[in-house]
Amino acid sequence: MNENVQNSFLVPPVGHPAARSNRDNSGQAARPASIENSLLAAIPRKEYRRLLAGLEPVTLIFGQVLYEPGETIRHVYFPNKSLVSLLTLADGHLALEVGLIGREGMVGIPLVLGHTVSSVRALVQGTGMAMRMAATQFQKEFRLSVPSQRALYRYIHTLMSQISQTAACNRFHVVEMRLARWLLMTHDRVKSDHFRMTHEFLAHMLGVRRVGVTKAAHALQKQKLIRYSRGDITILDRDGLVAAACECYEVVKDMHDGAPAEAAVPARALAVAT
Ligand SMILES: [Zn+2]
């Protein structure tokens, strides 16, 4: 495992709001007023109380690598406001985003399926809080909790759908549509109109050269859908951005929302990616 950030950054100090969030005054584990991660929120109260003993609030930092391909998974992560990209590597250095995980999911899915080694790079692309649990404890809890199994199997299905749709998207859709999709997916997860993302990072996410990102971002900016300046992105017109994105966005969103997608294959004309 390659957790590039020192532990002192990962674990909030005593007194940090996140560190207090899951303990009441008596020191007993208590359910916080609101659980931001949807998977944790879906687990019944009794099960959640038991899980809390093994959950630890951490801050994930932009650029931090949680796992590399071939490395043992030591923790699972339930993002709150943080965002984690799953990247597949080619030729040892080319990276392409195949999945995006935020508050709706969990990082460390191979453990659910009995594998302890990651096949992808898990890279933090949005700084924020997450709850993490040691892999050994997670596997033990997972075996004990039928509600957790149900929630995680459902999530695995939607994540697989996202990954397969992203593969088709990367092959068939132009950069501008893909950038709009990616911005919408990020917007859904961070719940903010404003976030930071460099050209270089976006190029890795979309598997294109930086000039491709520049052109696509200019096009979206020209339509007054976003404002993009030196890595600062502001969503100005979300509905317009939905119209500009390929239908992969709605297909995947429907899966995450639990509604059946009307068409597994986007009906919009497929434009060959550049
Ligand atoms: Zn697409």
Side-chain angles (χ1 to χ4, degrees):
M1 178 151 125
N2 180 16
E3 288 182 327
N4 288 345
V5 176
Q6 298 295 314
N7 278 346
S8 58
F9 286 108
L10 286 173
V11 183
V14 173
H16 186 286
R20 293 195 305 266
S21 66
N22 59 357
R23 298 274 159 189
D24 64 18
N25 291 336
S26 64
Q28 296 298 306
R31 191 182 182 88
S34 73
I35 302 168
E36 292 187 75
N37 181 279
S38 306
L39 277 178
L40 293 178
I43 296 169
R45 186 187 181 92
K46 194 175 147 200
E47 302 276 338
Y48 182 75
R49 278 180 179 276
R50 203 184 63 235
L51 284 183
L52 264 182
L55 285 169
E56 167 188 32
V58 293
T59 302
L60 303 183
I61 309 290
F62 174 80
Q64 181 184 352
V65 176
L66 303 179
Y67 323 130
E68 286 284 11
E71 287 185 353
T72 300
I73 296 172
R74 301 196 189 282
H75 292 93
V76 297
Y77 297 83
F78 298 90
N80 293 344
K81 288 193 168 63
S82 51
L83 214 49
V84 178
S85 279
L86 302 182
L87 304 170
T88 291
L89 304 187
D91 300 333
H93 68 287
L94 298 171
L96 178 66
E97 182 179 274
V98 294
L100 184 62
I101 301 173
R103 66 180 66 219
E104 82 293 350
M106 185 191 96
V107 186
I109 285 301
L111 289 178
V112 176
L113 304 171
H115 290 276
T116 56
V117 172
S118 179
S119 61
V120 293
R121 174 181 291 165
L123 175 70
V124 178
Q125 59 139 294
T127 297
M129 298 300 299
M131 302 295 277
R132 81 172 181 184
M133 182 180 280
T136 47
Q137 180 146 13
F138 171 79
Q139 287 175 303
K140 193 174 95 188
E141 296 292 351
F142 179 72
R143 277 195 293 273
L144 290 173
S145 172
V146 172
S148 300
Q149 291 169 17
R150 276 199 211 106
L152 280 161
Y153 288 144
R154 263 200 309 272
Y155 173 63
I156 288 173
H157 177 67
T158 59
L159 184 63
M160 283 175 63
S161 303
Q162 186 199 131
I163 289 170
S164 56
Q165 193 71 37
T166 303
C169 188
N170 286 334
R171 171 64 183 86
F172 293 119
H173 292 157
V174 293
V175 179
E176 188 182 320
M177 284 177 160
R178 284 157 56 199
L179 177 60
R181 167 183 66 81
W182 188 89
L183 291 170
L184 288 163
M185 288 174 69
T186 301
H187 190 234
D188 288 344
R189 287 161 177 79
V190 301
K191 306 277 185 204
S192 168
D193 291 338
H194 181 85
F195 40 90
R196 279 193 60 75
M197 192 56 56
T198 63
H199 264 65
E200 191 174 5
F201 210 76
L202 276 172
H204 279 302
M205 293 302 110
L206 299 171
V208 295
R209 287 180 297 170
R210 285 178 54 168
V211 65
V213 173
T214 304
K215 275 187 189 168
H218 279 168
L220 296 177
Q221 190 156 245
K222 207 170 161 190
Q223 297 169 67
K224 297 189 169 40
L225 304 178
I226 63 167
R227 187 166 55 237
Y228 186 46
S229 171
R230 296 182 182 180
D232 280 322
I233 297 174
T234 305
I235 307 289
L236 300 175
D237 177 357
R238 186 188 159 82
D239 290 345
L241 207 52
V242 171
C246 51
E247 290 186 8
C248 299
Y249 168 68
E250 303 238 24
V251 170
V252 173
K253 187 169 187 303
D254 283 348
M255 294 297 294
H256 279 295
D257 291 347
E262 282 186 10
V265 178
R268 182 175 296 184
L270 299 178
V272 175
T274 53

